[in-house]
Amino acid sequence: TQINANILRKLYTRQPSSNILPVVHEMVVALLKWKKALPNDINCDYSQNELSISRLIVNMMTEYFQGVNLAVRPLLFHFVLLNLKSANPKEGKYLDLSRYSSIILALLNASFQASINTIRSLWALVPENMVAMFGYMDREYLFNSTATLILFNATFGVYDATNEHLDHALTLFTKMRNLGNHPATLRREQILRLISILDFTGSMSNLYKKHNDNLNAPVSTANSDKS
């Protein structure tokens, strides 16, 4: 929480007057050191294909991943705007990162993985009915991570790596909506709107059609027995 407060203070309280990359790098390194120092019994190995994770650890990890996304977001927005101002969207092309430094690539990847792992963490709680269907934090962490993955899709074309996780996120939002969670209903509509605006190549059209319903939660194609 202290690191995340520093991120907000250094990157979001005023318009930066100089290169923000050193600050972004400093904040992400601080977060990585925090996670590395955690005792094993309250840490999580996200290299596993199937997560086994407690509600307590999800609370900690989603806050950690939120910090990573907050730190890297100004950098991601920079590339999103570069792509939108170019001819790439009209030509069905994506931004080429090959000419950028390894530090920039590592920072972007940290945000990408943080977004995926936020959704994975919450999805792993579904079989035990431990997702806070009316909770503020679960909803907002889910929304921020889902929106971030959509931005990565539109800018870098990483659809194959994100489709399953976006499906899971929208399934969770639909479950929240069907229970009468009105803020989640709004977030769900915003996500679908973002997909419709940024899906320049139609690569997310099947996902959009599947979840653009007005009645019942669709069954996720992955782990449908856990939906």
Side-chain angles (χ1 to χ4, degrees):
T1 302
Q2 290 175 341
I3 297 170
N4 288 355
N6 279 335
I7 291 169
L8 292 172
R9 180 174 58 84
K10 292 184 177 183
L11 293 173
Y12 291 92
T13 56
R14 59 184 180 273
Q15 188 71 21
S17 56
S18 58
N19 181 14
I20 64 168
L21 189 59
V23 178
V24 173
H25 183 255
E26 174 193 351
M27 294 293 96
V28 172
V29 167
L31 286 164
L32 292 172
K33 287 181 178 178
W34 174 87
K35 185 177 186 301
K36 187 176 181 181
L38 284 177
N40 289 334
D41 58 339
I42 54 170
N43 209 330
C44 181
D45 178 10
Y46 284 92
S47 65
Q48 308 170 75
N49 290 327
E50 295 292 331
L51 289 184
S52 178
I53 189 169
S54 70
R55 178 71 251 193
L56 170 64
I57 295 176
V58 169
N59 291 347
M60 295 174 59
M61 290 297 104
T62 50
E63 174 73 11
Y64 161 71
F65 291 136
Q66 174 77 348
V68 174
N69 275 335
L70 281 173
V72 180
R73 185 167 296 156
L75 183 64
L76 175 59
F77 280 173
H78 169 72
F79 286 108
V80 170
L81 289 174
L82 276 183
N83 191 58
L84 290 175
K85 290 177 181 178
S86 71
N88 285 343
K90 295 178 181 178
E91 298 175 359
K93 296 179 182 178
Y94 303 102
L95 207 62
D96 181 11
L97 287 173
S98 61
R99 61 190 179 91
Y100 293 96
S101 70
S102 59
I103 291 177
I104 288 178
L105 296 180
L107 291 171
L108 289 172
N109 185 60
S111 177
F112 184 67
Q113 295 301 327
S115 299
I116 287 176
N117 287 329
T118 295
I119 297 170
R120 289 182 69 206
S121 296
L122 292 168
W123 188 252
L125 297 178
V126 171
E128 304 300 325
N129 293 320
M130 292 296 290
V131 178
M133 289 298 180
F134 287 89
Y136 173 84
M137 305 308 288
D138 280 5
R139 182 188 76 231
E140 291 305 298
Y141 291 153
L142 185 65
F143 172 77
N144 289 328
S145 296
T146 306
T148 299
L149 290 184
I150 294 170
L151 293 177
F152 270 99
N153 278 353
T155 308
F156 307 113
V158 287
Y159 302 99
D160 290 344
T162 65
N163 187 66
E164 178 185 33
H165 306 294
L166 291 175
D167 178 36
H168 289 170
L170 281 163
T171 298
L172 284 172
F173 273 123
T174 305
K175 288 177 180 290
M176 293 177 182
R177 179 204 63 184
N178 289 354
L179 289 171
N181 185 336
H182 298 300
T185 300
L186 176 61
R187 288 308 200 192
R188 181 181 181 279
E189 291 171 354
Q190 290 171 332
I191 288 295
L192 289 170
R193 177 66 174 158
L194 194 61
I195 291 173
S196 69
I197 292 172
L198 295 179
D199 190 15
F200 305 113
T201 63
S203 299
M204 292 185 282
S205 59
N206 288 338
L207 188 71
Y208 180 83
K209 290 175 184 176
K210 175 179 178 180
H211 291 278
N212 187 29
D213 72 302
N214 293 311
L215 297 172
N216 300 312
V219 176
S220 174
T221 53
N223 298 318
S224 57
D225 59 322
K226 300 180 183 178
S227 301

